[in-house]
Structures are given as C-alpha cells and as structure tokens.
Amino acid sequence: MRDFVKRFNSMPDRVKEMFADAIEYFADKKDLWSIIFLVQVIDFPTECESPIEQILWYALRLMALRLNNFDIRFDSQVGVKVKEHHYRLDLFFEEDTESDDPVMVAVECDGHDFHEKTKEQVEKRNVRDMELKKAGVDVLHYSGSQIYNNPYSCAKEIIDYVTKLLSDKRRE
C-alpha cells in the first residue's frame, strides 16, 4: 500500500482528480470489484515522459474499465524501427496476434513546446507519420489541451477507433 501511495502522490493533480472521479463513479454504481481493481491492479505508467501522457494513459485505462474492454491496452514510450529511423511513440497499441498484418495504432500527445512550434517540427512530424503509416501504424494526435480538458472523450475516441479497426479486420 505504501508503494501505491508513493506512486499516487507523484502523479499529476489531474490524474488524482480522475482517480477520485473513477472511485465515485463506481461507488455510485455499487461496483466494488471495479474499485478494488482500481486500487490493486491499475499500475501507473512509469515510462510516460509528460503529464499529458500520464493523463491520457490513465484515461485509457479508466475508459477500458468503464466499457469492460480489456482487449485494448496501450503501452507507453514504445520504440519502433521504420526503415532506417527509430521512433519512440508516446502510446502504442499492437494487436496481440500472429497476423502478418496486425492492427497497430500510435497515439501522440502533442504538447505545444515540442510539437508544431516551428515549420521544421511540423515537417518532421509529417514525414514521421507518413513513414509509420506506410509501415502499417495508424497515428492519432491529441493536443495537450484536448487531453487535459477532455481526457475521457479522447480515450473513448481512441478506443472506438481501435475497436473499429479490429472489427473491420475480422470481417475481411
């Protein structure tokens, strides 16, 4: 429990608010199992590099819990190699299958200081996105303000997007 409290205290205030809201949400539904799951099972992302990444990662976990959809789980700070480039993706989902063409989705959390501040940054991002797309990785971008102000709607959009890709693939 001490480790949980230590990790919880190190999280951004927005994540603490989300955690409290989640406990209240499941308490209102009298869903004790989900509350126990929140406290005991949800691990905090130690690899996330920024508060907005932590907020979105946590929103994705909470939304998956609300939707009872545990097939879609994102890892943080995943390295991928495309051609001769190595890219580190903020959040990454890869279908757990032996398929030659797995569903892969990257989610980039674009804080203003590191993205789209200069023309060079925009050009670099566009080239990177195109290379990833050619390699079969869909890339979704969310601004820091989108994530901070509406973390659950961002998470729901992402989960719905991945769910649709998986569903479309199964119909093929």
Side-chain angles (χ1 to χ4, degrees):
M1 183 65 153
R2 204 174 296 191
D3 187 44
F4 173 84
V5 172
K6 184 178 175 182
R7 286 183 292 155
F8 181 78
N9 286 335
S10 71
M11 298 307 294
D13 288 340
R14 184 68 173 111
V15 172
K16 292 175 189 174
E17 292 168 16
M18 292 166 56
F19 187 84
D21 290 344
I23 289 176
E24 185 176 331
Y25 172 84
F26 291 116
D28 287 345
K29 292 182 157 287
K30 298 183 180 11
D31 186 350
L32 181 60
W33 291 113
S34 292
I35 294 171
I36 291 169
F37 180 83
L38 279 172
V39 174
Q40 292 183 348
V41 179
I42 288 187
D43 50 342
F44 293 113
T46 55
E47 300 85 18
C48 289
E49 291 186 338
S50 71
I52 61 171
E53 289 173 26
Q54 292 175 342
I55 291 166
L56 186 55
W57 184 90
Y58 193 68
L60 284 162
R61 293 298 299 270
L62 286 174
M63 187 56 63
L65 183 59
R66 286 184 181 191
L67 298 173
N68 200 24
N69 182 345
F70 299 99
D71 296 332
I72 299 173
R73 184 178 170 122
F74 282 81
D75 294 314
S76 57
Q77 297 302 316
V78 173
V80 297
K81 183 177 180 185
V82 179
K83 296 184 181 179
E84 67 277 352
H85 296 105
H86 289 272
Y87 296 117
R88 191 174 60 215
L89 307 173
D90 293 339
L91 301 170
F92 183 68
F93 167 82
E94 184 172 14
E95 181 181 16
D96 188 21
T97 180
E98 297 294 320
S99 170
D100 292 335
D101 187 27
V103 170
M104 296 181 286
V105 177
V107 178
E108 292 298 301
C109 305
D110 298 336
H112 180 70
D113 290 342
F114 298 102
H115 303 277
E116 297 189 16
K117 201 171 190 179
T118 67
K119 288 180 183 181
E120 292 79 18
Q121 287 174 327
V122 173
E123 185 176 317
K124 184 177 178 182
R125 182 185 101 168
N126 291 344
V127 167
R128 177 180 185 263
D129 285 358
M130 185 57 69
E131 285 187 0
L132 288 165
K133 182 69 177 166
K134 287 178 183 176
V137 179
D138 286 14
V139 183
L140 306 175
H141 290 270
Y142 288 88
S143 70
S145 59
Q146 280 179 295
I147 294 167
Y148 188 85
N149 294 326
N150 300 298
Y152 293 120
S153 71
C154 295
K156 178 124 175 44
E157 278 181 17
I158 294 164
I159 290 171
D160 288 348
Y161 183 83
V162 173
T163 300
K164 182 174 180 346
L165 289 177
L166 292 168
S167 176
D168 290 350
K169 183 178 176 187
R170 288 182 188 120
R171 277 186 273 194
E172 292 176 354

